[in-house]
Amino acid sequence: MECISNQELEQLIDEVRPYSQYGKLVDYIPALKEENSEDLSVSIFHVNGTFFYAGDYLKKFTLQSISKVITLALVLIQNGEEAVFERVGMEPTGDPFNSIAKLETLKPAKPLNPMINAGALAVTNMIQGKDVDEKWDRLLSFVRELVNDDQVSYNERVAKSEYDTANLNRALCYFMKQHEVIEGNIEDLLFLYTKQCAIEMNCSDLARIGAVFAANGVDPVTGRVLIPSHIARICKTFMVTCGMYNASGEFAIKVGIPAKSGVSGGIMGAVPHKCGIGIFGPALDEKGNSVAGVKLLEKMSQIYGWSIF
Ligand code: GLN
């Protein structure tokens, strides 16, 4: 079954909105504490080009960890699988996304996967370009292609707020530099990474990116190949095994689609061959996933028969 109207989605978000009261806004990035915890918006972008939305679907939010999937795709395109997986692994962790624990106990000290912060920092470190500006331009152009909108940009205030307070990520970087997983200037890397996490869009834009992944890397509207299909497949697999952090197992059982969340409250979903989904609901559960957003996905997956399992 497919979603066929905005009213249908409006009704679903009214049903799940009350769940927001069980979550709270992220607190370690000061600028994100100012969001409204009751906000909820959703968009579904079908691979045939039709799309639906509900809630304040024009409200912009920053991608945070959702950006990790996009950077991974770019870095795989630029460097190839072998080079990338020399520095970052393919296994899920049962730990929180910002944990440093496994880096110390695993030999060699290679981050377990590209969806946790350590792995994502190692991936961002592999973006090609002669300096930070050129790397940033490449990443932003790629995001703009995926959304098909050259106005997409980043939120400077959120980027600065994270950069100024990112001491845990700094620690991860210095640890990895010591173990030769990453190289170069750490402040430059953090500057780039926090800008990447602060890339801003609305849920319809995010659903469109999800639809590109759902369509194996093909832009559903223009038919252009934006991501080679084997790379889109790798990204979707990471979304299934690690995309919802240490709640990925439960999410696979209850929802069963490739998805990636961010601490801003965003979630991007990709239902293979069917549609992309963009959600924004900033009240988070204790693992850092949008409470109402996950509930909404559970309901939609049941109604529309999305589970891939
Ligand atoms: N920018 C955030 C960080 O690195 C992203 C984390 C997240 O969304 N889980 O801490």
Side-chain angles (χ1 to χ4, degrees), residues 28-29 32 63-68 97-98 115 117 121 162 166 169 193-194 197-198 245 260-265 287-288:
Y28 74 95
I29 301 176
L32 293 181
L63 293 185
Q64 300 303 329
S65 277
I66 303 170
S67 67
K68 294 170 179 173
F97 62 86
N98 53 8
M115 301 292 121
N117 283 9
L121 287 157
E162 183 175 12
N169 284 335
Y193 173 79
T194 48
C197 290
Y245 319 119
K260 182 74 202 88
S261 64
V263 288
S264 51
K287 292 186 174 165

Side-chain angles (χ1 to χ4, degrees), residues 5 15 29 36 72 75 82 109 124 142 156 203-204 240 249 265 293:
S5 72
E15 281 171 35
I29 301 176
N36 174 0
L72 175 65
V75 162
E82 208 177 316
T124 299
F142 185 51
E156 222 174 310
C203 65
S204 295
V240 168

Side-chain angles (χ1 to χ4, degrees), residues 21-291:
Q21 67 188 296
Y22 302 116
K24 39 181 211 342
L25 295 172
V26 63
D27 55 8
Y28 74 95
I29 301 176
L32 293 181
K33 284 197 265 189
E34 292 152 28
E35 293 291 349
N36 174 0
S37 61
E38 279 172 20
D39 272 347
L40 188 59
S41 53
V42 60
S43 177
I44 298 181
F45 200 105
H46 290 286
V47 295
N48 65 11
T50 56
F51 63 97
F52 300 96
Y53 47 80
D56 187 1
Y57 70 100
L58 292 177
K59 164 112 196 191
K60 288 186 181 173
F61 53 93
T62 58
L63 293 185
Q64 300 303 329
S65 277
I66 303 170
S67 67
K68 294 170 179 173
V69 187
I70 299 169
T71 316
L72 175 65
L74 176 66
V75 162
L76 283 167
I77 293 170
Q78 291 178 334
N79 302 273
E81 280 172 62
E82 208 177 316
V84 172
F85 294 120
E86 229 166 67
R87 286 167 190 253
V88 62
M90 299 182 188
E91 300 304 333
T93 75
D95 301 325
F97 62 86
N98 53 8
S99 174
I100 200 166
K102 292 255 167 48
L103 272 186
E104 208 194 359
T105 53
L106 286 173
K107 303 281 178 258
K110 171 168 133 173
L112 274 169
N113 69 68
M115 301 292 121
I116 50 172
N117 283 9
L121 287 157
V123 167
T124 299
N125 190 239
M126 285 185 265
I127 299 177
Q128 295 201 0
K130 68 174 184 319
D131 53 23
V132 182
D133 287 343
E134 196 174 294
K135 292 176 188 191
W136 168 247
D137 286 346
R138 289 237 183 136
L139 176 60
L140 189 60
S141 313
F142 185 51
V143 174
R144 288 176 171 173
E145 273 194 329
L146 293 170
V147 185
N148 197 24
D149 179 354
D150 60 10
Q151 295 304 307
V152 171
S153 193
Y154 77 109
N155 183 317
E156 222 174 310
R157 198 173 53 87
V158 174
K160 181 167 180 346
S161 171
E162 183 175 12
Y163 177 81
D164 288 347
T165 54
N167 293 318
L168 197 47
N169 284 335
R170 264 188 190 86
L172 291 170
C173 286
Y174 280 106
F175 192 93
M176 289 191 287
K177 185 164 180 177
Q178 181 69 31
H179 291 275
E180 294 170 0
V181 178
I182 61 175
E183 53 211 23
N185 181 294
I186 301 293
E187 291 309 311
D188 282 353
L189 172 57
L190 282 164
F191 184 70
L192 181 60
Y193 173 79
T194 48
K195 265 173 101 165
Q196 166 196 316
C197 290
I199 292 173
E200 194 174 47
M201 60 184 68
N202 62 42
C203 65
S204 295
D205 298 328
L206 191 58
R208 200 180 194 290
I209 302 183
V212 175
F213 283 102
N216 281 335
V218 177
D219 184 311
V221 177
T222 65
R224 276 179 65 212
V225 176
L226 302 179
I227 305 170
S229 61
H230 71 285
I231 292 179
R233 181 181 61 78
I234 294 172
C235 294
K236 275 183 286 187
T237 313
F238 276 122
M239 286 162 76
V240 168
T241 56
C242 326
M244 304 299 282
Y245 319 119
N246 44 335
S248 298
E250 183 178 345
F251 186 85
I253 289 172
K254 293 189 173 161
V255 183
I257 64 167
K260 182 74 202 88
S261 64
V263 288
S264 51
I267 305 178
M268 175 176 79
V271 187
H273 314 296
K274 288 189 180 157
C275 60
I277 303 138
I279 292 180
F280 174 60
L284 307 178
D285 61 23
E286 69 289 350
K287 292 186 174 165
N289 296 317
S290 168
V291 188

Side-chain angles (χ1 to χ4, degrees), residues 16 40 267 279 281 283 290-298:
V16 300
L40 188 59
I267 305 178
I279 292 180
S290 168
V291 188
V294 170
K295 264 285 163 222
L296 179 61
L297 281 166
E298 279 177 32

